[in-house]
Amino acid sequence: MANALPTPKILLVDDDPDIIELLEYNLNKEGFETASASDGLQALEVAKDFKPDLILLDVMMPRQDGIETARQIRQISEFKDTYILFLTARAEEYTEVAAFDVGADDYIVKPIKPRALVSRIKAILRRDTQQVESDSLIEIGVLTINRTNYSVINNGNPLVMPKKEFELLYFLAKHPNKVFNRDELLEKVWGVDVYVVERTVDVHIRKLREKIPEQYIKTLKGVGYMFSIEE
């Protein structure tokens, strides 16, 4: 008999106990293991012991807000592959952009029906199991990009890179010298189940350029982005 896959672990962070109770009920019913925290500082402590696969995070919370909490989580190496989803009543574009700037994988505006939220969570977690392991290693110039363990080596130095940044880099590098517009990148990297603003792509491109040699990612004004290899 084959070994069962480990139960996905989700950390719920919200200062409203009714929302926590509702989320716990629906996620536990779907077979997820959950833990909860009522603010950002508590979330950091719980995450260290619970080691979640995914964190569902509110923005407005006492003591420490969700944006700062996500930023701190992304600075902890053991959580670089942990998915961060914001679930918040804040619908302003600048807040959404700020969330992606600190490493969010999705941004969901309340209210959302529990079944729809569970479907979004399942879709994000499912992307890991659907990745093809063949030709998962890309070596271009000083860069080595390994899809198997989500690692990037730049001129011999390992880079710390959140999962969505990695997926964007990997996708572009898999299709060198081909231009993709923002809509195409949102569909291919974030997926059709994730609804984010186009500026999210710009934020992630900027963060990639801060980490890898600037000659690799080119902007074609008014068209899109491409991973450039000089031929």
Side-chain angles (χ1 to χ4, degrees):
M1 181 176 177
N3 293 329
L5 294 173
T7 302
K9 300 166 72 173
I10 300 178
L11 174 58
L12 309 171
V13 189
D14 199 299
D15 61 331
D16 187 333
D18 292 335
I19 290 178
I20 291 290
E21 182 179 358
L22 178 65
L23 293 174
E24 285 181 332
Y25 171 78
N26 284 276
L27 291 168
N28 292 338
K29 187 172 64 173
E30 294 293 327
F32 295 106
E33 182 180 350
T34 60
S36 64
S38 59
D39 61 63
L41 293 178
Q42 185 183 17
L44 290 166
E45 293 302 315
V46 174
K48 292 173 184 176
D49 293 327
F50 186 58
K51 295 179 171 46
D53 300 293
L54 183 146
I55 299 173
L56 197 61
L57 191 62
D58 192 14
V59 171
M60 297 181 293
M61 294 184 294
R63 297 209 298 165
Q64 182 167 285
D65 65 40
I67 301 294
E68 175 60 20
T69 301
R71 187 189 67 78
Q72 292 185 25
I73 287 170
R74 285 296 185 227
Q75 292 179 337
I76 302 172
S77 60
E78 67 178 304
F79 297 134
K80 70 181 181 68
D81 293 334
T82 300
Y83 289 106
I84 296 178
L85 279 68
F86 278 89
L87 178 63
T88 177
R90 299 289 294 270
E92 312 94 345
E93 181 176 319
Y94 68 84
T95 304
E96 182 173 347
V97 171
F100 285 108
D101 198 24
V102 296
D105 294 286
D106 199 355
Y107 190 95
I108 303 166
V109 177
K110 300 173 184 175
I112 182 172
K113 293 181 180 179
R115 287 181 62 184
L117 177 61
V118 170
S119 294
R120 296 274 283 270
I121 289 172
K122 285 183 175 180
I124 286 175
L125 292 173
R126 190 165 55 238
R127 293 174 71 87
D128 276 351
T129 64
Q130 292 177 336
Q131 297 294 341
V132 177
E133 294 299 333
S134 60
D135 69 333
S136 60
L137 185 68
I138 301 175
E139 294 180 297
I140 299 175
V142 298
L143 288 180
T144 300
I145 306 168
N146 191 331
R147 186 65 179 76
T148 303
N149 59 8
Y150 283 84
S151 68
V152 180
I153 307 295
N154 176 27
N155 202 23
N157 300 310
L159 301 178
V160 176
M161 193 171 289
K163 184 170 287 188
K164 200 57 64 178
E165 283 180 36
F166 176 91
E167 290 178 351
L168 178 59
L169 175 62
Y170 180 81
F171 177 79
L172 289 171
K174 283 284 289 183
H175 305 87
N177 297 331
K178 181 175 180 180
V179 181
F180 295 92
N181 63 37
R182 292 180 182 87
D183 287 338
E184 290 171 324
L185 291 173
L186 286 172
E187 178 182 345
K188 298 296 185 181
V189 178
W190 277 263
V192 294
D193 298 301
V194 179
Y195 307 97
V196 298
V197 297
E198 287 187 347
R199 284 184 59 193
T200 301
V201 175
D202 301 336
V203 169
H204 283 71
I205 290 290
R206 174 175 58 79
K207 294 175 80 69
L208 283 176
R209 283 174 168 155
E210 293 172 355
K211 297 176 181 179
I212 67 173
E214 62 181 13
Q215 72 267 20
Y216 285 122
I217 297 182
K218 302 290 188 184
T219 301
L220 274 73
K221 192 172 182 179
V223 183
Y225 300 106
M226 75 172 182
F227 192 94
S228 175
I229 300 177
E230 295 184 1
E231 298 180 342

